[in-house]
Amino acid sequence: MESGAENVVPLRRTAPEPLWREAVGAQLREERSRRGERIADVAGRAGVAPQYLSELERGRKDASSEVLSAVAGALDLTVLDLTRRASRHLVPAPTCPSGPLCLAA
């Protein structure tokens, strides 16, 4: 009986997939830098500590939805804007040459 193991194609990623908090943090920092603003100014408008915003930007902390909304708003963004920007920077999931679904045995 044929096992099918000879048809298995190993999946390889070119780089490790970033964490969601890293992708969001990078977008927060990018937008703040683009606007030429200091962490303290954005943090003050958002109602968070500058140290906490710094940790968010570096992808060290996961923000609650309330904090994410406040920080995004302080940068004149919506959570939807921020989510869309962050999702563009995630590495796409690998696909199988034979189709969209890969199964591991």
Side-chain angles (χ1 to χ4, degrees), residues 63-74:
S64 68
S65 58
E66 291 85 0
V67 169
L68 204 55
S69 178
V71 174

Side-chain angles (χ1 to χ4, degrees), residues 54-68:
S54 174
E55 289 185 341
L56 290 178
E57 287 186 355
R58 290 180 289 137
R60 309 261 175 164
K61 296 282 185 183
D62 279 307
S64 68
S65 58
E66 291 85 0
V67 169
L68 204 55

Side-chain angles (χ1 to χ4, degrees), residues 32 38-54 71 74:
R32 182 182 57 76
R38 299 178 316 140
I39 284 180
D41 297 331
V42 175
R45 288 196 309 272
V48 300
Q51 297 84 357
Y52 185 69
L53 178 55
S54 174
V71 174

Side-chain angles (χ1 to χ4, degrees), residues 10-18 89-95:
L11 298 176
R12 289 187 172 80
R13 288 197 165 116
T14 57
E17 187 173 42
H89 294 278
L90 296 176
V91 175
T95 58

